[in-house]
Amino acid sequence: HAKAEGRDMYAFFSLSMTSRARAVLQVRHELRRAVERGQFVLHYQPQVDLRSGRIVGAEALVRWQHPERGLIYPGSFIGIAEDCGLIEPLGAWVMHEACRQNKAWQDAGLPPLIMAVNLSARQFQRNQVEQLTGEAIAASGLAPEWLELEITEGMVMQNVELAIEVMQRLVATGVRLSIDDFGTGYSSLSYLKRFPIDKLKIDQSFVRDLGQSGNNPAIVTAIIALAKSMELKVIADGVEDQSQMAYLRRQGCDEIQGYYLSKPVGAERFAPLLAADGHYGAQVAA
Ligand code: C2E
Ligand code: MG
Ligand code: MG
């Protein structure tokens, strides 16, 4: 989809200022209608334990099912949704749907997994996230320990003391927290110690460098060591090949997520992956 996005962006910037403004309004209008009509779907990407090869988690990733333009990826609309106040209803739908789906898989007898949901900065700052997760957990009947909220360093660092309070209240309800895109923002290490988090997600940009000769894997190695010393779990995002996986396993990384194992897929394609318990065992052991 990077290509399609690139094309969209090119078309967008070649417009005059007025037509550009009009295009933004048009997208906002369509997005608002999509939220009203529920034209979204969640895809799920497995998070696999490097020792057992088992799927231990899934990240829920939202897609817009546009009636004319087809599937649109979040990079093209989350920012717009944030700007025009649509991220709250959209984020609420994502939270409810992710919890509902996770509980449905558990009820179907599939191995339980932790469902990770991305929060936007606005959702986090608006301080409604505690209420939202409480509602989604109550409505779905999912036990809170099977829900993980992904936050970013930037969301936390804007007002650290407040963010720690919000995180502590969330954790008190039983949900887990992880830091997404870790290493790309700037969080002070002294604060990190005070965050009631469970997991660090190593950003794809650092993982991409692994396994290519001449590239320095120092950042990945350092993040894994940091996580270990703070007794946090660590997952690498964006793992695309066997050599990256092998390096991560040698360094003691707990889990991986990436195209090497699976792209994000719809619920109907995810369930069979989950049903084949230990599905990735051979691939991960290789
Ligand atoms: P993220 O949270 O860092 O999610 C990981 C992104 O990397 C996903 O893109 C995923 O499809 C992609 N990815 C995973 N493995 C690989 C790989 O091996 N290679 C490559 N090239 N890419 C990989 P996606 O689904 O397009 O989502 C982009 C971003 O949009 C997410 O980044 C997240 O920040 C945001 N997002 C997605 N869903 C939601 C949502 O429900 N709410 C909010 N607030 N943001 C969301
Ligand atoms: Mg994420
Ligand atoms: Mg990322």
Side-chain angles (χ1 to χ4, degrees):
H1 66 276
K3 242 186 217 157
E5 260 170 36
R7 211 164 41 229
D8 282 350
M9 288 310 273
Y10 178 78
F12 183 77
F13 285 112
S14 64
L15 297 172
S16 71
M17 283 300 271
T18 38
S19 16
R20 213 184 288 177
R22 213 173 287 133
V24 168
L25 287 179
Q26 174 68 14
V27 175
R28 285 187 182 189
H29 169 71
E30 290 183 11
L31 198 55
R32 181 159 288 118
R33 212 172 43 189
V35 168
E36 285 162 12
R37 298 181 181 177
Q39 292 170 337
F40 296 91
V41 66
L42 291 185
H43 281 186
Y44 302 92
Q45 190 176 33
Q47 301 182 329
V48 171
D49 184 287
L50 275 176
R51 272 152 311 209
S52 66
R54 295 235 158 87
I55 298 176
V56 290
E59 179 170 9
L61 296 155
V62 70
R63 278 90 179 85
W64 176 5
Q65 292 177 302
H66 193 284
E68 289 103 41
R69 291 196 284 146
L71 212 58
I72 303 180
Y73 288 82
S76 313
F77 65 87
I78 289 288
I80 298 173
E82 288 200 308
D83 290 344
C84 64
L86 286 170
I87 196 67
E88 282 89 356
L90 177 59
W93 179 82
V94 168
M95 188 71 73
H96 277 268
E97 178 60 11
C99 290
R100 186 203 62 75
Q101 182 62 74
N102 200 16
K103 183 62 162 62
W105 283 330
Q106 290 184 6
D107 288 347
L110 293 166
L113 56 73
I114 295 172
M115 179 69 76
V117 173
N118 291 284
L119 292 182
S120 83
R122 223 178 118 131
Q123 279 178 295
F124 192 73
Q125 284 151 10
R126 285 289 174 101
N127 211 349
Q128 301 154 337
V129 60
E130 193 190 347
Q131 193 188 342
L132 173 61
T133 53
E135 284 167 2
I137 278 167
S140 63
L142 183 74
E145 66 259 36
W146 300 112
L147 175 64
E148 181 173 275
L149 307 175
E150 296 193 355
I151 57 186
T152 60
E153 294 162 273
M155 285 160 64
V156 172
M157 295 312 287
Q158 293 191 350
N159 184 341
V160 180
E161 296 305 325
L162 183 67
I164 291 175
E165 254 181 68
V166 173
M167 289 192 278
Q168 280 167 344
R169 286 210 310 273
L170 283 168
V171 166
T173 70
V175 304
R176 301 165 200 259
L177 300 176
S178 67
I179 304 279
D180 204 0
D181 302 339
F182 187 75
T184 59
Y186 44 124
S187 50
S188 129
L189 296 184
S190 60
Y191 283 129
L192 195 60
K193 233 173 31 191
R194 295 177 54 206
F195 297 165
I197 53 171
D198 218 55
K199 200 191 240 188
L200 297 180
K201 290 193 81 172
I202 305 174
D203 188 65
Q204 312 188 357
S205 57
F206 306 124
V207 175
R208 200 167 300 138
D209 290 346
L210 295 177
Q212 287 173 25
S213 57
N215 270 320
N216 189 344
I219 294 176
V220 168
T221 309
I223 295 175
I224 294 171
L226 177 69
K228 299 272 148 194
S229 75
M230 293 179 61
E231 296 178 340
L232 299 173
K233 272 193 287 176
V234 59
I235 180 168
D237 196 3
V239 176
E240 292 190 348
D241 62 43
Q242 200 272 340
S243 73
Q244 292 167 348
M245 182 199 64
Y247 181 83
L248 290 158
R249 196 186 34 220
R250 279 200 304 279
Q251 296 299 314
C253 188
D254 300 305
E255 298 169 17
I256 59 169
Q257 171 182 342
Y259 292 176
Y260 180 58
L261 298 178
S262 173
K263 289 195 170 183
V265 293
E268 68 297 337
R269 286 177 61 198
F270 190 88
L273 298 178
L274 194 53
D277 200 14
H279 179 84
Y280 293 109
Q283 203 175 346
V284 161

